[in-house]
Amino acid sequence: MSSPVPPAIPSFTGAAGPYPGGDPYADYRTADFPFLHHVDLADRRLGSSVIAANDEFFAERENLLKPGPAEFDPERFGHKGKIMDGWETRRRRGPSASRPHPPLDEHDWALVRLGAPGIVHGVVVDTAHFRGNHPHAVSVEATAVTGTPSPGELLADGVAWTTLVPRTPVGGHAANGFAVSAGGRFTHLRVNQHPDGGIARLRVYGEVAPDPAWLAALGTFDLVALENGGRVEDASDRFYSPAAHTIHPGRSRRMDDGWETRRRRDTGNDWISYRLAGRSRVRALEIDTAYLKGNSAGWASVSLRDGPEGEWVRILPMTGLQPDTNHRFVLDAVAVGSELRLDIHPDGGISRLRAFGSLTEEGAAGLRSRYDAPRG
């Protein structure tokens, strides 16, 4: 029996209508893309940056990676025109009155360094609020370069770029999504808009593939951190904020930068399940409730299992938590596994979870295979 064919990703073309007043997202075009469960490798909070662009006359390139949806203020104008929450270039022109239109191969571009290099499964080029000033088409290329190359080094001859998204027409005021099957690990992207225009946000969804040599040199590191290849598998509740916040870099800076559940009116409890960077030896835990004061979890426990068929073993018993506090626990014995589960009782939230340890030989080999995966 053949496998079901996945539904085609909706595509949007053409300009949206002029802003009609009221909610600017009322006529926004979007869809449920099949890759949104992956990490956004271009999340600014992971260290991503738009390191160069050929033009940013109307709106700065850095807006591309801002967390959250683009905002729109119909009354906001500056000396250069309408101020937009995105990256917007000036209008291209041809070389002369006899050839007023730009050549077909001319386009604007921006270079993006991924904060978490990895294998890309999907890209969203969001043109929110760019209704008649969006690009006609976009394309996205990627490369893998070690170290911290400058824009000049990335654009030099000899750097191999892989096409993730071929030149494709897009729509204005829309989330334009593209599935990617190039495989392999990438560190930088080149986003092209043909011939010019504006893009509000760029999202790059995939699997983190950290440098095994760096983690081996560290020895002990946070095995569940996004930047090290950990990820959230599932959660009981995402009402107020995403569970993935709990494995973001650094300490939480405000209440909504953690994970908070709705108030329970039953006798159950809330939980998050995680996949570690690989099969690991866990030695210590941190549970942080920073900025969660009247709504932190009351108690927490942590369990570990060795693969999806393994038994859950509790490595931290039910322990009381204090509001707005970082709690540290050294385990009585090293625990080995690849999946971790945090249970909070009865509800509330935490801001960060850390699981410190090192990879087993099997875990290190799996990480190396992701790092060395061939690019298509």
Side-chain angles (χ1 to χ4, degrees):
M1 183 176 177
S2 60
S3 301
V5 177
I9 293 178
S11 60
F12 308 104
T13 56
Y19 172 56
D23 179 7
Y25 276 102
D27 59 344
Y28 177 66
R29 297 176 285 179
T30 188
D32 292 326
F33 302 118
F35 43 73
L36 296 183
H37 60 286
H38 289 293
V39 177
D40 180 7
L41 305 176
D43 192 323
R44 179 73 178 126
R45 293 166 292 188
L46 295 176
S48 299
S49 179
V50 186
I51 61 174
N54 72 305
D55 187 294
E56 47 185 331
F57 185 86
F58 287 114
E60 297 86 353
R61 65 183 191 256
E62 287 85 0
N63 290 333
L64 279 174
L65 305 186
K66 288 169 63 176
E71 298 178 357
F72 181 70
D73 182 350
E75 303 298 326
R76 194 175 180 211
F77 286 83
H79 294 294
K80 294 180 180 179
K82 183 74 186 72
I83 296 176
M84 297 293 289
D85 184 13
W87 168 49
E88 185 179 7
T89 66
R90 72 194 81 197
R91 301 185 189 220
R92 282 185 172 268
R93 297 291 186 248
S96 65
S98 61
R99 290 186 294 164
H101 301 288
L104 290 177
D105 60 344
E106 286 194 359
H107 62 273
D108 293 321
W109 54 265
L111 289 177
V112 175
R113 181 185 67 240
L114 296 178
I119 300 167
V120 179
H121 293 299
V123 173
V124 174
V125 179
D126 190 347
T127 58
H129 315 304
F130 290 96
R131 295 171 174 270
N133 49 351
H134 62 288
H136 170 71
V138 299
S139 60
V140 181
E141 304 160 279
T143 190
V145 180
T146 58
T148 51
S150 67
E153 290 170 323
L154 288 169
L155 297 174
D157 294 339
V159 176
W161 291 87
T162 299
T163 298
L164 302 186
V165 179
R167 181 170 175 166
T168 306
V170 294
H173 197 44
N176 300 278
F178 307 93
V180 173
S181 59
R185 176 183 185 269
F186 296 105
T187 61
H188 295 78
L189 266 59
R190 182 162 60 192
V191 182
N192 306 305
Q193 48 178 339
H194 307 267
D196 53 38
I199 298 171
R201 296 288 189 268
L202 174 73
R203 306 298 187 218
V204 183
Y205 295 96
E207 298 176 67
V208 178
D211 184 350
W214 173 252
L215 296 183
L218 293 178
T220 296
F221 59 92
D222 183 1
L223 297 153
V224 77
L226 275 175
E227 59 192 319
N228 294 333
R231 66 178 186 264
V232 167
E233 294 280 76
D234 200 1
S236 62
D237 188 291
R238 299 176 173 88
F239 190 82
Y240 286 113
S241 47
H245 282 180
T246 60
I247 52 176
H248 274 187
R251 293 199 74 198
S252 174
R253 294 175 180 270
R254 37 186 247 181
M255 191 178 74
D256 64 349
D257 189 23
W259 172 60
E260 182 188 357
T261 72
R262 75 193 82 193
R263 300 187 188 212
R264 278 190 171 267
R265 302 305 186 203
D266 57 24
T267 58
N269 74 284
D270 289 315
W271 52 267
I272 308 175
S273 61
Y274 304 86
R275 184 175 297 275
L276 303 181
R279 191 168 185 261
S280 307
R281 301 181 183 93
V282 182
R283 297 180 174 88
L285 300 168
E286 281 188 6
I287 301 175
D288 196 350
T289 58
Y291 291 94
L292 293 160
K293 298 182 178 180
N295 49 357
S296 66
W299 294 263
S301 62
V302 177
S303 302
L304 188 71
R305 70 178 179 182
D306 198 7
E309 304 303 320
E311 294 287 333
W312 287 107
V313 176
R314 186 167 286 188
I315 60 175
L316 179 72
M318 182 87 81
T319 302
L321 300 180
Q322 298 299 317
D324 197 24
T325 301
N326 191 25
H327 309 76
R328 290 179 171 173
F329 308 96
V330 177
L331 303 186
D332 293 335
V334 173
V336 177
S338 59
E339 298 179 33
L340 186 143
R341 175 177 165 127
L342 166 76
D343 284 88
I344 63 169
H345 299 265
D347 55 25
I350 68 164
S351 59
R352 295 290 188 271
L353 172 72
R354 307 297 186 208
F356 294 102
S358 57
L359 293 172
T360 65
E361 293 74 13
E362 179 186 341
L367 189 64
R368 170 60 66 177
S369 68
R370 293 208 304 275
Y371 186 85
D372 292 334
R375 289 179 285 275

